[in-house]
Amino acid sequence: MIGYRITDFVPDKNKDQSAFDNLWNILQQLLLITSGDVSEALSWLTNVDKQYNITNADYGMGDFIEDLKKKGFLTEDNQTGEFKISAKSEQEIRKSALEEIFGKLKKSGKGEHKTFHSGLGDERNSDMREYRFGDTPDQISMTDSIRNAQINHGFSDFALTENDLEVEEREFKTQTSTVLMIDISHSMILYGEDRITPAKKVAMALSELILRKYKKDTLDIIVFGNDAWQIEIKDLPYLKVGPYHTNTIAGLELAMDLLRKRKNSNKQIFMITDGKPTCMRKGIKYYKNSFGLDPQILNKTYNLGAACRRLNIPVTTFMIASDPYLKEFVKEFTKINNGNAYYSNLKGLGNLVFEDFKNNRKKNL
């Protein structure tokens, strides 16, 4: 009987890219996996090069490292010789994550944050209307207005009156404040599955999307283990999993505190996690229980879900695990909060985050 032979798939090099670009694309992925450890990432890249012959006689790893320094992607400590990635590299890694996860936005035009309200807004559209008192000069379409004047008054006695003016319709864009919670408990790297790298990549893509397209929006990023704390966007490549339990309560409390300070009416929380709440603070001590679903921890988590609902803050949970009892917890929490929940594999996580980011807007002004 003839069967199937399974072999490793080795993708072809991008012939339209230079040797530097091909190596740089691979190195960016390795820098994420190594949490920004340049030496380790370059060591891995050297081993990959030995196996797949990425470089050649004209361009080797030494040339690549020199180009990284010349282009400002790496900085080198003159005393220790230690390499570190620069702010330029951090931005390039976020840009790469954006292209990988949300690249199709350029073609589809999705995610414009538009409401159904028209008038003196931010974004032009193709609709035209007559001039109204209060319209600003920059809204007037001079080409269409002059054409109307020629039709209405003729060429010999040209005049432009208020009745000839046409105005470009505009749409308001909603402003949204988002808090992204990322689980950094130990379970995010258990059983040989790297769950933290895709979570970091999604966070970087979302942050770059907001910085580029939705500059009036805000994004705060929280990590939670035994405790919860806020991190900056620039810190994302360096994020690591720790020997932590999962204090979802601390994450939700911090997220609510941050959103209370935001003045716009559209607020939401995204939570990326792979486990159940297993930890909470009782005074100065931690209360922990990794076995099953502890009622004390669960009840407080549910209470916070209800508090978010009262504040009109939906929580969208992206559960990157499929255990039945975890699904029951997420289902109950989502019901109490009136939010959303997705049980995602790592590959589809980015698309789900974007779709919910787009659809979860209340379109309030």
Side-chain angles (χ1 to χ4, degrees):
M1 178 179 176
I2 299 175
Y4 294 96
R5 176 172 294 179
I6 307 300
T7 60
D8 290 336
F9 171 71
V10 181
D12 295 330
K13 299 176 187 176
N14 189 334
K15 296 179 180 179
D16 296 329
Q17 289 188 331
S18 65
F20 173 85
D21 290 332
N22 278 316
L23 289 166
W24 175 229
N25 289 338
I26 299 170
L27 182 62
Q28 288 179 75
Q29 302 296 325
L30 295 176
L31 285 170
L32 276 181
I33 295 170
T34 61
S35 298
D37 189 325
V38 177
S39 297
E40 187 177 1
L42 286 173
S43 177
W44 286 11
L45 182 59
T46 301
N47 290 331
V48 171
D49 180 35
K50 288 178 182 178
Q51 186 172 357
Y52 296 107
N53 299 316
I54 302 171
T55 61
N56 52 51
D58 296 324
Y59 193 87
M61 286 297 300
D63 299 313
F64 175 60
I65 293 171
E66 284 301 314
D67 282 348
L68 286 172
K69 292 191 290 184
K70 289 178 183 177
K71 293 175 183 290
F73 291 122
L74 290 185
T75 60
E76 184 177 9
D77 190 307
N78 292 329
Q79 293 183 342
T80 64
E82 181 183 3
F83 288 119
K84 292 185 178 180
I85 59 176
S86 64
K88 182 180 179 180
S89 288
E90 294 167 357
Q91 185 177 17
E92 284 293 312
I93 293 172
R94 293 199 305 271
K95 179 181 176 183
S96 176
L98 176 65
E99 291 291 336
E100 179 181 339
I101 294 175
F102 301 146
K104 62 183 180 181
L105 296 184
K106 290 184 177 179
K107 296 180 180 178
S108 66
K110 292 180 178 179
E112 288 300 318
H113 282 39
K114 293 178 181 176
T115 76
F116 298 110
H117 301 270
S118 62
L120 183 59
D122 302 313
E123 193 73 21
R124 296 181 179 181
N125 64 28
S126 59
D127 296 333
M128 306 294 292
R129 60 171 173 80
E130 74 281 358
Y131 175 83
R132 299 172 191 156
F133 180 78
D135 289 333
T136 58
D138 64 302
Q139 289 180 264
I140 298 173
S141 172
M142 294 307 300
T143 301
D144 294 297
S145 299
I146 292 172
R147 182 198 61 208
N148 292 339
Q150 292 172 342
I151 294 172
N152 295 334
H153 310 294
F155 290 94
S156 58
D157 188 21
F158 178 80
L160 182 66
T161 67
E162 180 178 331
N163 292 330
D164 301 320
L165 298 179
E166 279 199 43
V167 170
E168 295 174 334
E169 191 68 281
R170 295 189 179 186
E171 296 173 330
F172 286 100
K173 289 197 296 183
T174 61
Q175 295 178 340
T176 298
S177 292
T178 303
V179 174
L180 178 62
M181 295 171 52
I182 303 176
D183 186 349
I184 58 168
S185 62
H186 185 60
S187 60
M188 291 288 279
I189 55 170
L190 278 181
Y191 314 117
E193 186 171 27
D194 178 9
R195 296 167 176 172
I196 190 63
T197 299
K200 287 192 292 186
K201 195 175 290 186
V202 168
M204 288 189 294
L206 185 60
S207 62
E208 192 68 8
L209 181 71
I210 289 174
L211 289 173
R212 287 169 176 250
K213 291 179 70 72
Y214 311 125
K215 296 182 180 180
K216 294 182 180 180
D217 283 13
T218 65
L219 175 66
D220 295 295
I221 302 172
I222 291 172
V223 294
F224 62 104
N226 289 349
D227 291 295
W229 61 95
Q230 188 176 6
I231 64 170
E232 301 294 330
I233 291 174
K234 65 181 179 61
D235 299 327
L236 281 169
Y238 312 101
L239 194 60
K240 295 181 180 179
V241 168
Y244 306 127
H245 288 71
T246 307
N247 193 342
T248 309
I249 294 166
L252 290 170
E253 288 176 339
L254 179 55
M256 292 170 67
D257 288 342
L258 291 171
L259 289 174
R260 284 191 187 99
K261 300 173 184 177
R262 302 299 183 187
K263 296 181 180 180
N264 51 314
S265 57
N266 295 323
K267 302 175 182 181
Q268 59 186 355
I269 297 172
F270 289 167
M271 178 167 63
I272 301 175
T273 182
D274 74 330
K276 58 189 179 295
T278 60
C279 177
M280 60 184 284
R281 291 291 289 253
K282 280 190 171 182
I284 60 173
K285 295 182 178 181
Y286 293 106
Y287 175 82
K288 303 174 184 177
N289 183 359
S290 299
F291 306 98
L293 294 170
D294 189 286
Q296 290 191 50
I297 299 174
L298 279 189
N299 288 337
K300 190 163 184 181
T301 305
Y302 292 150
N303 289 340
L304 287 173
C308 286
R309 181 176 182 173
R310 289 192 294 271
L311 294 171
N312 294 317
I313 302 175
V315 181
T316 301
T317 305
F318 300 91
M319 176 63 74
I320 46 180
S322 57
D323 307 67
Y325 72 100
L326 291 180
K327 287 186 176 182
E328 284 301 314
F329 153 67
V330 174
K331 182 178 178 181
E332 183 63 23
F333 177 81
T334 303
K335 180 180 177 182
I336 291 171
N337 172 255
N338 197 28
N340 295 303
Y342 298 97
Y343 307 98
S344 170
N345 58 31
L346 297 174
K347 187 176 181 181
L349 182 60
N351 288 334
L352 286 176
V353 169
F354 167 68
E355 287 300 326
D356 211 76
F357 179 69
K358 181 187 70 172
N359 295 329
N360 209 25
R361 329 189 73 67
K362 293 187 174 69
K363 298 181 175 63
N364 293 330
L365 293 177

